[in-house]
Amino acid sequence: MTLSNKNQNDIISSDIINSYDIEYVFNDKPISRIITKPTVENKSKLLENLKEKIINIENCEFKNNATQMVFGDGNTDSPIMIVGEGPGQKEDELGKPFVGDAGQLLNKMFNAINLKREKIYITNVVNYRPPNNRKPEPAEINRYSEFLREHISIINPKILILMGSTAMEALFGSKIKISKERGNWKDLIINNKTYLTMITFHPAYLLRQADQKKYSWADLKEIRKKIDELNLKL
Ligand code: URA
């Protein structure tokens, strides 16, 4: 980056700054005057590195039985990130998360609060289809949660939505119950950064338990309210 005269900072010489190969942003707050700016190229490089790590996972029953990795879908710069459980049959075939029946419902749920799927970023806890769509075991959830944390740090969303107990367990542990935790805003801390997080029911659960949709609707309205409050650009 080259500084224009107008942007020159009275503390640090622009010559010194321009000699570093780092993107800087200047702001007028009394502290943290200079912050590094995440660039789009950075993000895609980091996502590619993460994909590579997941591809190289060893001794994983999911990977050994799946057709392909299902990494993520949507806008990587979105302020909204959704985490599901893991790919099902259709996702395994197409290589994209939430494209089967649960995905259809997910699209409808977010349309109902005026959020188009393409505007958000979607991933899962596990990136390969579990055989017979079984629920991942705690040790498997734990193993993939390291990748998930990195995924969240790279996407850096303003709002994180965890759909279902597997996503909840991956990030908040297994001692809590989704029926108690859903619907409240929580802070999730990853690498000293706090992510505003909502736990809500998984669409596949709602397909089986239609009477629970009223709770899901309450959570969605809460999410819409927060998007408006934070004035998020979508
Ligand atoms: N269920 C999930 O949790 N994720 C998908 O991608 C599809 C169904």
Side-chain angles (χ1 to χ4, degrees):
M1 183 196 83
T2 308
L3 283 175
S4 68
N5 285 338
K6 192 161 146 267
N7 281 338
Q8 274 183 13
N9 185 285
D10 57 357
I11 298 175
I12 302 173
S13 140
S14 61
D15 293 343
I16 296 174
I17 289 173
N18 290 332
S19 71
Y20 298 141
D21 188 20
I22 300 174
E23 285 280 325
Y24 289 104
V25 185
F26 289 81
N27 69 37
D28 56 5
K29 302 232 172 76
I31 50 170
S32 304
R33 252 172 202 275
I34 301 172
I35 54 171
T36 52
K37 180 185 175 188
T39 60
V40 173
E41 305 92 84
N42 259 347
K43 216 178 224 190
S44 48
K45 213 178 276 171
L46 291 168
L47 288 170
E48 281 310 312
N49 288 346
L50 176 60
K51 264 188 204 170
E52 216 34 52
K53 282 191 208 173
I54 299 171
I55 284 174
N56 289 325
I57 196 168
E58 284 179 354
N59 303 320
C60 172
E61 192 195 345
F62 299 161
K63 177 180 152 183
N64 294 344
N65 288 283
T67 309
Q68 58 186 318
M69 178 173 60
V70 178
F71 185 72
D73 185 42
N75 176 7
T76 56
D77 286 323
S78 177
I80 314 279
M81 179 171 183
I82 293 177
V83 182
E85 179 175 295
Q89 186 180 354
K90 197 96 185 218
E91 290 77 17
D92 179 62
E93 270 168 31
L94 300 177
K96 263 191 182 192
F98 283 103
V99 286
D101 292 344
Q104 297 301 317
L105 180 57
L106 178 133
N107 295 349
K108 277 191 199 155
M109 287 162 67
F110 285 96
N111 276 338
I113 55 163
N114 211 9
L115 248 188
K116 297 275 161 291
R117 180 192 168 109
E118 321 77 77
K119 305 270 179 188
I120 49 196
Y121 185 76
I122 308 178
T123 188
N124 283 308
V125 175
V126 302
N127 305 97
Y128 293 98
R129 181 189 179 200
N132 305 316
N133 297 342
R134 72 165 169 83
K135 183 174 161 59
E137 301 284 344
E140 292 164 330
I141 294 177
N142 209 24
R143 190 173 189 198
Y144 275 88
S145 72
E146 194 191 312
F147 302 127
L148 177 60
R149 271 180 238 280
E150 189 173 334
H151 210 153
I152 295 166
S153 297
I154 299 169
I155 299 297
N156 195 21
K158 295 277 187 281
I159 292 179
L160 181 65
I161 303 168
L162 307 181
M163 303 196 98
S165 58
T166 301
M168 180 190 75
E169 279 174 42
L171 297 162
F172 287 99
S174 57
K175 294 209 171 85
I176 53 176
K177 285 231 168 308
I178 190 164
S179 50
K180 278 216 175 125
E181 305 298 330
R182 57 140 283 277
N184 301 312
W185 291 107
K186 291 187 181 309
D187 284 344
L188 173 73
I189 301 172
I190 303 175
N191 292 334
N192 291 326
K193 174 132 209 259
T194 305
Y195 297 91
L196 189 58
T197 305
M198 170 73 78
I199 297 166
T200 190
F201 289 137
H202 192 288
Y205 171 73
L206 298 172
L207 287 172
R208 299 191 302 270
Q209 302 281 335
D211 60 324
Q212 301 294 300
K213 283 185 180 169
K214 53 182 179 288
Y215 300 113
S216 171
W217 178 232
D219 300 349
L220 285 167
K221 282 194 289 185
E222 195 51 49
I223 292 166
R224 180 73 244 180
K225 206 165 109 196
K226 190 59 82 181
I227 293 171
D228 294 339
E229 248 171 58
L230 298 177
N231 201 13
L232 299 182
K233 302 276 168 291
L234 281 152

